[in-house]
Amino acid sequence: MVPSPAEPVAAQGTSEAESLGPAPVGAAPLPDLGPSDSPEAAAEKVEVEVELAGPAGAEPPQPPEGGWGWLVMLAAMWCNGSVFGVQNACGVLFVSMLKTFGSKDDDQMVFKTAWVSSLSMGMIFFCCPIASVFTDIFGCRKTAVVGAAIGFIGLLSSSFVSSIEPLYLTYGIIFACGCSFAYQPSLVILGHYFKKRLGLVNGIVTAGSSIFTILLPYLLRVLTERVGLFYTLRVLCIFMFVLFLAGFTYRPLIPRVRDKESGIKGGNRSALFQRKKFSPPKKVFNFAIFKVTAYAVWAVGIPLALFGYFVPYVHLVKYVNERFQDEINKEVVLMCIGITSGVGRLLFGRIADYVPGVKKIYLQVLSFAFIGLMSMMIPLCNAFGALIAVCLIMGLFDGCFISIMAPIAFELVGALDVSQAIGFLLGFMSIPMTMGPPIAGLLRDKLGSYNVAFYLAGIPPLIGGAVLCFIPWIHSKKQRKTNKTTGEEKMEKMLENQNSLLSSSSGIFKKESDSVI
């Protein structure tokens, strides 16, 4: 259940605690959150208050669908932009790293340099399961703020290295881990504020990375040419500092419940904290979500499709440098992907709101089919204009895949388990996204061309998309089984009630007969 503020009670003489219904037997008293309680103090009590806010079986409060949520949406949008905009524009940094650290005697420099960007992207997703646990324990705000601070430190330290190897640690691990802890809460917090508009809001938020992907390649090219790689990384630290400030907007939503008994501020409050102190510990990793077969298949199909996903982002600028040497603005290929990716996120995010339930997965199947085909078509483009067209189509369906990940996760496991469900999935995604670009770089070093690398990069999305096609069937089969079991349980309960009623009626009739006799 996603906590959100309770509606105030206007009726005179009726307390808010009474409006929620009678308290369960044996429950500890509810805390009185007076006007003096700050949002920070209230946030510390969210775990207990959500547990005690109302009787068992009460309807969960609905997200506000706006309000402060719009500011949260903008902060999450900046998060997506600053994290993945830099990652998607890594092709420009990749070329700059080759110039800065490269040597003509090193025939595996492309392979070594590709590890920096791919390790960074992979670590972002690899740390997401851990970040989801921290989000559950400490909340979205604290996790995001600390993550942005770590990312800032990693990026700043990357600007003082003297060779390519230290970047594996500073840029590939420290910076990426910080980005992961800042990024994962941005996915979860949106579900606190939106439900009906969640698809649209996710489209807007994920469009942040598209906007940055459009602008950053030009900015990075100008910076790397004029001030060099190291000062460029220091300029990028500004983006992480703004992300640090944006994390403070992730205000938790909690039920504000008052008890009419004024004595609650005294000794009764101690009973509340005793209950919190001695409550059984929660599971750190919720592996029970893998018992949901549809989610388990999803968690296998998505990583399977992503072995070639990140290859164009890393190697496309280098490929254009080799294939179309006369072109001046070679980073325009990344800009094209960014433009249509933003359109795709907004368009398909809105479409997903009208696609019922788990059938949203077919949108991802469609996106993987086009991403795979476009990757294979890159080496076939003999004209630069044809390559631009391929990148535009690839970006459109890239946006489709990304924008509906969170809505699908909500459909498969529900709001209660969505944080770790997304975290585990992103963790699994880290392996193929880390391995793909270096393998492509190795093929380039060995074969002297990127053609085979792009052909092979298009195969995994087609295979992964085929696996995802089974999810709606698996989910509907499970739903039918659950509905059948629920119906049988209701029927048994109804028969038990009827038998109990007949037994009591028979007893009454017997007593009346005995009294007459």
Side-chain angles (χ1 to χ4, degrees), residues 32-374:
D32 182 13
L33 298 178
S36 60
D37 287 333
S38 64
E40 290 76 10
E44 297 295 331
K45 304 170 187 173
V46 62
E47 178 181 346
V48 181
E49 291 178 291
V50 171
E51 181 183 356
L52 304 177
E59 290 294 327
Q62 294 297 316
E65 300 293 343
W68 183 264
W70 297 119
L71 185 59
V72 172
M73 182 194 73
L74 292 177
M77 185 178 180
W78 179 272
C79 176
N80 272 259
S82 58
V83 171
F84 290 106
V86 174
Q87 296 296 330
N88 293 344
C90 65
V92 180
L93 294 177
F94 177 77
V95 173
S96 181
M97 290 177 189
L98 286 174
K99 292 179 180 179
T100 304
F101 304 112
S103 172
K104 295 182 179 179
D105 298 331
D106 193 344
D107 58 352
Q108 291 189 341
M109 196 61 199
V110 174
F111 172 70
K112 291 180 179 179
T113 308
W115 270 108
V116 177
S117 300
S118 64
L119 182 62
S120 178
M121 179 63 88
M123 285 300 298
I124 288 177
F125 293 118
F126 179 77
C127 292
C128 276
I130 304 173
S132 68
V133 173
F134 277 80
T135 301
D136 288 342
I137 296 175
F138 299 106
C140 294
R141 177 158 48 186
K142 291 180 180 178
T143 305
V145 168
V146 172
I150 295 173
F152 177 87
I153 294 172
L155 194 58
L156 183 63
S157 59
S158 298
S159 65
F160 293 99
V161 301
S162 57
S163 62
I164 195 70
E165 286 78 10
L167 286 177
Y168 298 154
L169 174 64
T170 58
Y171 189 92
I173 296 179
I174 299 176
F175 169 63
C177 287
C179 289
S180 178
F181 276 72
Y183 166 67
Q184 206 276 342
S186 72
L187 297 176
V188 178
I189 194 66
L190 296 175
H192 290 214
Y193 286 88
F194 300 94
K195 182 178 180 181
K196 296 179 180 178
R197 300 172 176 170
L198 186 60
L200 175 63
V201 170
N202 269 282
I204 296 174
V205 167
T206 54
S209 64
S210 300
I211 296 173
F212 278 61
T213 303
I214 296 169
L215 301 177
L216 276 179
Y218 281 112
L219 175 64
L220 294 179
R221 180 176 65 84
V222 172
L223 287 175
T224 53
E225 289 178 355
R226 294 187 179 182
V227 299
L229 174 65
F230 300 130
Y231 282 100
T232 300
L233 294 176
R234 292 166 195 170
V235 171
L236 291 178
C237 288
I238 299 174
F239 291 83
M240 299 308 298
F241 180 73
V242 176
L243 178 58
F244 171 80
L245 300 178
F248 287 98
T249 65
Y250 295 170
R251 186 175 67 189
L253 292 180
I254 60 174
R256 299 184 62 85
V257 183
R258 297 179 186 272
D259 192 282
K260 67 176 181 178
E261 299 294 337
S262 59
I264 191 67
K265 293 184 179 180
N268 287 341
R269 184 178 285 254
S270 64
L272 174 68
F273 290 111
Q274 288 176 2
R275 177 172 178 177
K276 178 179 179 181
K277 181 177 179 180
F278 297 104
S279 60
K282 295 182 179 179
K283 293 181 179 180
V284 177
F285 290 103
N286 183 18
F287 292 108
I289 59 177
F290 290 100
K291 295 181 180 179
V292 180
T293 309
Y295 172 77
V297 175
W298 193 51
V300 172
I302 294 292
L304 185 61
L306 294 182
F307 272 97
Y309 171 81
F310 198 46
V311 170
Y313 287 100
V314 176
H315 294 285
L316 198 53
V317 174
K318 176 67 175 175
Y319 170 77
V320 172
N321 282 336
E322 295 178 354
R323 184 74 179 270
F324 303 99
Q325 299 178 0
D326 296 335
E327 296 295 329
I328 300 176
N329 297 322
K330 300 178 178 63
E331 63 280 350
V332 72
V333 291
L334 294 179
M335 185 191 74
C336 292
I337 294 177
I339 292 174
T340 52
S341 180
V343 174
R345 293 169 198 224
L346 295 173
L347 175 63
F348 288 102
R350 189 55 178 164
I351 291 174
D353 288 334
Y354 296 99
V355 178
V358 185
K359 290 184 178 180
K360 294 180 178 68
I361 204 76
Y362 288 127
L363 294 177
Q364 283 193 328
V365 174
L366 182 68
S367 67
F368 282 134
F370 274 91
I371 288 174
L373 292 175
M374 294 304 106

Side-chain angles (χ1 to χ4, degrees), residues 405-490:
M405 281 186 61
I408 290 175
F410 274 94
E411 293 290 346
L412 292 177
V413 301
L416 187 63
D417 298 318
V418 72
S419 175
Q420 293 208 27
I422 294 175
F424 279 123
L425 177 66
L426 296 179
F428 294 147
M429 289 166 55
S430 67
I431 299 174
M433 297 188 76
T434 302
M435 298 300 296
I439 292 175
L442 185 63
L443 290 173
R444 158 63 182 79
D445 289 332
K446 297 297 182 182
L447 302 177
S449 168
Y450 274 113
N451 291 351
V452 174
F454 283 118
Y455 286 137
L456 294 178
I459 296 176
L462 299 177
I463 297 175
V467 172
L468 297 183
C469 290
F470 293 98
I471 293 178
W473 175 76
I474 294 172
H475 186 75
S476 61
K477 183 179 179 181
K478 180 68 175 177
Q479 288 293 102
R480 288 194 299 268
K481 183 178 179 181
T482 303
N483 293 338
K484 182 179 179 180
T485 304
T486 305
E488 291 175 353
E489 290 176 353
K490 289 182 179 179

